[in-house]
């Protein structure tokens, strides 16, 4: 079995137009091809404010499929550690033979999650969007801003976080890295004054209120991936002119649909993003629409990014440097 380390993966795999396209193609495959994607298996570790998710998907026609183990331990910041971790395993589709172990420590999950946010912004936000709002100040909040900046010409950023010191570091780092002015604001001001808002928190009570929505706004919510999590008031989904998610059944079980007043009606209203990337459904069609996208994370994204990484490092002849 080939072992790929985080260091080696980081040398070659970055958030760019190519990895964004890999994830967009994965969404399209989910809509157009036969995909075997089991429900997420989650193990809660309440004693340490942690959780473990296992995701996988086989896409017909691909030589390999991945199984990803992802952890989130949300008190890690107290130890000076990132909250996310994990690894990916790649298996041969025809024989089931383990091919590669990607010891990425959650890096590839960060990349594919950010890329999904870019895909959502590309299809659902206004093309003239210039102000981005970020709820949260952790690692995914950083990746998401970079991702949005790759598909929209962002000139101003508003950020809200619970911890002032984390927000201050976020502002400093993102201004230095992207050359964009970043300002701290309340959650309400972030939403009311942004063209695109992305939520990246493990919140269990809604942060964004229905009354804050305004014409032309796009929201991507990606923090809710468990029954107890919720970032958006139920009314936000109902008020949206277009509500999109990665997988309807997953959003109903673990995402924002889970908290809707009328889940059956929201399931009818919801559009899966793969239907849009495949051209079967339309994304944003007017500048006035309010659009919302709920991303819970899918195994098809993990198989796509793992296979992309394997093929890229093979092409770069990284095996020799690893061994």
């Amino acid at each position: 079995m080939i072992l790929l380390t985080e260091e080696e993966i980081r040398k070659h795999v970055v958030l760019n137009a190519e990895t964004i396209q890999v994830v967009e193609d994965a969404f399209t495959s989910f809509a157009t091809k036969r995909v075997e994607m089991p429900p997420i298996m989650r193990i809660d570790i309440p004693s340490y404010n942690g959780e473990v998710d296992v995701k996988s998907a086989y896409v017909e026609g691909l030589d390999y499929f991945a199984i990803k183990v992802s952890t989130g331990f949300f008190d890690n910041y107290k130890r000076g550690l990132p909250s996310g971790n994990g690894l990916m395993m790649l298996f041969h589709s025809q024989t089931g033979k383990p091919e590669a172990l990607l010891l990425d420590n959650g890096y590839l999950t960060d990349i594919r999650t950010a890329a999904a946010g870019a895909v959502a912004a590309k299809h659902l936000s206004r093309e003239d969007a210039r102000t981005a709002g970020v709820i949260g100040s952790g690692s995914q909040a950083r990746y998401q801003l970079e991702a949005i900046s790759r598909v929209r010409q962002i000139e101003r950023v508003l950020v809200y976080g619970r911890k002032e010191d984390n927000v201050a570091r976020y502002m400093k780092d993102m201004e230095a890295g992207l050359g964009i002015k970043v300002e701290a604001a309340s959650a309400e001001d972030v939403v009311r004054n942004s063209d695109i808002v992305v939520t990246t928190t493990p919140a269990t009570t809604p942060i964004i209120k229905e009354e804050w929505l305004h014409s032309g706004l796009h929201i991507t919510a990606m923090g809710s991936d468990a029954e107890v999590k919720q970032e958006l008031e139920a009314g936000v989904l109902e008020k949206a002119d277009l509500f999109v998610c990665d997988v309807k059944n997953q959003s109903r079980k673990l995402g924002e649909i889970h908290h809707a007043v009328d889940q059956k009606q929201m399931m009818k209203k919801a559009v899966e993003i793969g239907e849009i990337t495949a051209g079967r459904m339309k994304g944003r069609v007017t500048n006035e629409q309010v659009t919302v996208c709920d991303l819970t994370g899918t195994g098809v994204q993990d198989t796509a990014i793992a296979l992309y990484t394997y093929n890229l490092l093979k092409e770069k002849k990284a095996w020799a440097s690893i061994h």
Side-chain angles (χ1 to χ4, degrees):
M1 177 186 277
I2 297 166
L3 301 180
L4 307 178
T5 65
E6 179 185 2
E7 180 182 8
E8 196 67 36
I9 291 169
R10 283 181 178 270
K11 286 181 183 178
H12 301 287
V13 180
V14 296
L15 180 62
N16 57 18
E18 191 170 25
T19 47
I20 290 170
Q21 190 61 51
V22 165
V23 171
E24 179 160 346
D25 291 343
F27 286 136
T28 300
S29 293
F30 187 71
T32 61
K33 297 181 179 179
R34 180 181 175 184
V35 175
E36 298 293 336
M37 190 171 74
I40 298 169
M41 185 184 86
R42 189 179 79 248
I43 305 167
D44 290 316
I45 316 292
S47 299
Y48 300 101
N49 195 19
E51 63 186 39
V52 183
D53 290 333
V54 180
K55 298 179 180 178
S56 182
Y58 163 68
V59 181
E60 189 171 35
L62 294 185
D63 291 334
Y64 298 93
F65 66 92
I67 298 175
K68 192 268 293 287
V69 180
S70 177
T71 64
F73 280 66
F74 302 108
D75 289 338
N76 276 2
Y77 71 92
K78 299 175 183 176
R79 300 177 172 87
L81 298 172
S83 61
N85 215 308
L87 55 83
M88 296 187 180
M89 299 167 280
L90 203 63
F91 296 84
H92 198 283
S93 297
Q94 189 171 17
T95 65
K97 177 182 176 291
E99 180 69 18
L101 185 61
L102 285 65
L103 302 173
D104 67 310
N105 293 319
Y107 175 69
L108 291 176
T109 295
D110 280 338
I111 293 295
R112 66 83 151 147
T113 303
V119 174
K122 172 184 171 183
H123 290 276
L124 300 174
S125 70
R126 299 197 328 263
E127 290 188 9
D128 65 349
R130 294 293 179 267
T131 301
V134 181
I135 306 291
S137 57
S139 61
Q140 192 52 222
R142 297 163 184 260
Y143 281 111
Q144 284 298 324
L145 180 55
E146 181 183 350
I148 293 170
S149 298
R150 291 189 173 275
V151 297
R152 291 292 181 262
Q153 190 176 333
I154 300 301
E155 299 173 351
R156 181 189 182 209
V157 178
L158 301 175
V159 59
Y160 165 76
R162 293 178 302 165
K163 299 177 176 61
E164 290 185 7
D165 54 342
N166 289 351
V167 170
R169 281 195 295 271
Y170 180 88
M171 292 168 61
K172 180 181 178 180
D173 293 345
M174 300 315 292
E175 285 184 350
L178 298 178
I180 302 172
K181 178 64 177 175
V182 183
E183 305 167 39
S186 67
E188 180 176 355
D189 286 342
V190 167
V191 176
R192 289 190 183 276
N193 296 292
S194 297
D195 304 312
I196 302 172
V197 173
V198 59
T199 60
T200 66
T201 76
T204 55
T205 56
I207 299 173
I208 295 184
K209 299 183 181 299
E210 175 188 356
E211 64 196 57
W212 301 347
L213 303 186
H214 57 84
S215 175
L217 175 65
H218 169 67
I219 298 172
T220 296
M222 55 184 46
S224 180
D225 57 2
E227 293 88 345
V228 298
K229 295 182 183 179
Q230 182 181 9
E231 295 182 301
L232 312 178
E233 276 190 345
V236 172
L237 279 61
E238 295 163 5
K239 192 172 181 178
D241 298 300
L242 177 62
F243 174 71
V244 178
C245 58
D246 42 18
V247 182
K248 288 185 182 183
N249 287 333
Q250 203 164 279
S251 183
R252 184 174 189 175
K253 181 180 179 182
L254 306 172
E256 297 294 340
I257 294 179
H258 179 70
H259 304 283
V261 175
D262 187 341
Q263 290 189 12
K264 289 184 178 179
Q265 185 59 36
M266 284 308 306
M267 288 290 283
K268 292 179 181 179
K269 179 179 181 177
V271 175
E272 291 186 346
I273 195 166
E275 296 290 333
I276 294 173
T277 61
R280 293 177 172 179
M281 301 285 289
K282 292 183 178 180
R284 175 178 290 273
V285 293
T286 73
N287 281 343
E288 292 71 38
Q289 282 179 300
V290 174
T291 57
V292 174
C293 184
D294 180 30
L295 298 176
T296 51
T298 66
V300 72
Q301 291 170 254
D302 295 317
T303 284
I305 198 67
L307 183 54
Y308 166 80
T309 299
Y310 172 79
N311 287 334
L312 181 62
L313 269 64
K314 186 176 182 179
E315 177 187 327
K316 300 291 184 182
K317 302 187 187 317
W319 302 163
S321 63
I322 293 170
H323 298 293

